Amino acid sequence: MLSLGFPQHSKTKPLQPPKPYLPCPSSFPSSLIFNPTPPLVRPHLTLQIRALDAAQPFDYESLISHQFQNCSKLKIAIVGFGNFGQFLAKTLIRQGHIVLAHSHSDHSETAKKMGVSYFLDAHDLCEEHPEVILLCTSILSTETVLKSLPIKRLKRNTLFVDVLSVKEFPKNLFLQTLPLEFDVLCTHPMFGPESGKNGWKDLPFVYEKVRIGSDESRANRCQQFLDIFAREGCEMKEMSCAEHDIFAAGSQFITHTVGRMLKNLDLKSTPINTKGYEKLLDLVENTSKDSYDLYYGLFMYNPNATEELQRLENAFDSVKRQLFGQLHDVLRKQLFENDLGLDGTRAI
């Protein structure tokens, strides 16, 4: 604020304007220190600085906003950067999370294009101290991969998460392998690159908070990870790993089994496809894109799968008995009718 002072005709010494208050310059960077110049003097006019409107050295609101954004983002290390790991990474990056990756195969070029930091050595990955280790390995390789990780290089409260299609197996593996200081969250996104290619809205996401530290920061970190899927519109379903495996054996395993059976039939599209037949062809296409290792893992590591396979076999036998039983009744009836004469007596 500037004031114009006119010549004083009184002999009284004019009042001096108060000196502007300046914070201690030692707390500012040298480029921000304001050094006022002497007042500009003109005939009959005195130009004096009465107040200073200096820019603050820091934008406090911007700083708080930046800190909040950083707190809402996670540093997530994906172990197993194959098809499914890359599928999840796209959403993690889009939401602003920091994504690291490691895999036995070299996916460094793919990771670079996606904006993911790739590490060929698991030791280098762990030394980055990710907040979350996300296992995207196959069911069959999970135990080997987990036990090969140099977990002593991680922070002691790191959150471990799996996305396997079976749940009791990784839960028990985590509890037996990881020290008590590590948090454990078992999850199963009930979709993949094919079924989730157009978005995750209304697709089921199952999880169990197996072991989460009691302090607020660890509980918040777990919730932040779950919010990744909630923000995409997933149908969040919290249930025990044992309950999940019962349901999955009766749905996912049966779906894959029927799909593989139909694939062995070598079904072909026809000019007169019905809607039901189209759905069968879609089932074959969707299940055949998954590896046999996944299907075998669904059977091998879900104790309920054997029972479901037996129930499927019994159901098929029951249908066959019903069909052939009715066929035999028809044949018997035709046979006995042919043996009777026109007058109803048996022909000799």
Side-chain angles (χ1 to χ4, degrees), residues 152-286:
K152 291 185 178 180
R153 296 183 181 273
L154 296 169
K155 291 183 178 180
R156 285 178 293 177
N157 65 350
T158 302
L159 172 63
F160 273 76
V161 184
D162 84 285
V163 289
L164 298 185
S165 299
V166 292
K167 293 272 63 73
E168 281 196 282
F169 164 64
K171 174 182 178 179
N172 294 331
L173 179 63
F174 280 153
L175 294 179
Q176 294 169 8
T177 306
L178 299 175
L180 293 175
E181 294 82 7
F182 289 97
D183 289 345
V184 174
L185 175 66
C186 287
T187 77
H188 182 196
M190 304 290 293
F191 51 89
E194 185 63 27
S195 56
K197 63 183 178 182
N198 296 321
W200 302 353
K201 182 173 173 55
D202 297 329
L203 297 178
F205 181 87
V206 181
Y207 66 94
E208 181 185 355
K209 299 177 182 179
V210 177
R211 186 174 68 199
I212 305 298
S214 58
D215 59 275
E216 186 177 0
S217 62
R218 293 166 73 171
N220 288 341
R221 179 181 59 188
C222 176
Q223 190 57 50
Q224 282 177 251
F225 183 84
L226 293 175
D227 285 346
I228 293 171
F229 298 87
R231 288 177 59 185
E232 298 299 316
C234 290
E235 187 178 349
M236 308 298 287
K237 294 184 176 295
E238 184 172 9
M239 67 175 63
S240 69
C241 291
E243 189 178 10
H244 165 277
D245 282 359
I246 292 174
F247 290 139
S251 60
Q252 190 179 25
F253 175 70
I254 290 297
T255 299
H256 278 263
T257 300
V258 173
R260 289 184 175 274
M261 289 169 56
L262 295 176
K263 181 177 175 58
N264 289 340
L265 289 177
D266 194 24
L267 299 182
K268 302 292 184 182
S269 181
T270 73
I272 55 172
N273 287 354
T274 62
K275 292 294 183 182
Y277 189 68
E278 291 285 354
K279 290 181 179 180
L280 290 182
L281 294 177
D282 290 340
L283 174 62
V284 173
E285 182 181 4
N286 289 336

Side-chain angles (χ1 to χ4, degrees), residues 28 41 61 63 73 111 239 270 309:
F28 291 162
V41 180
E61 293 182 357
L63 180 63
K73 305 306 178 186
M239 67 175 63
T270 73
L309 190 62

Side-chain angles (χ1 to χ4, degrees), residues 75 100 117 119 122-131 153-155:
K75 182 188 285 188
L100 319 176
S117 299
F119 297 85
H123 290 261
D124 296 333
L125 176 79
C126 292
E127 285 179 352
E128 292 293 319
H129 293 159
E131 299 166 271
R153 296 183 181 273
L154 296 169
K155 291 183 178 180

Side-chain angles (χ1 to χ4, degrees), residues 34-40 49:
F34 179 77
N35 294 316
T37 58
L40 178 64
I49 297 178

